[in-house]
Amino acid sequence: MKADTHPDYHTIKVVMTDGTVFETRSTWGKEGDTMTLDIDPLAHPAWTGGRGTMLDTGGQVARFNKRFGGGLTLRK
């Protein structure tokens, strides 16, 4: 096996959005570093079931609706 082909796998601390801290092993950062999350399963609408807001930057939504009629329906 080749030497020095795998990254360093070490223990870090992860801080969730609610302040909860836990330790895990990762290749991110250095031994003992702390990763602070901005988005996690406690806050992200994909996991919480909340409705996201759509930001219309530069009229993107208006152009889409004009082009396709805004009648997009999703089927289950």
Side-chain angles (χ1 to χ4, degrees), residues 17 40-52:
T17 55
D40 63 18
L42 302 173
H44 195 278
W47 288 288
T48 61
R51 292 186 51 99

Side-chain angles (χ1 to χ4, degrees), residues 8-65:
D8 180 34
Y9 195 61
H10 48 268
T11 304
I12 64 166
K13 291 181 183 177
V14 178
V15 180
M16 306 287 274
T17 55
D18 68 346
T20 306
V21 179
F22 67 93
E23 285 191 1
T24 188
R25 293 181 47 84
S26 175
T27 58
W28 179 86
K30 297 180 294 264
E31 179 77 32
D33 280 355
T34 301
M35 177 188 289
T36 304
L37 300 179
D38 294 329
I39 298 174
D40 63 18
L42 302 173
H44 195 278
W47 288 288
T48 61
R51 292 186 51 99
T53 58
M54 185 180 305
L55 300 176
D56 187 6
T57 57
Q60 297 274 344
V61 174
R63 268 192 304 216
F64 179 85
N65 288 337

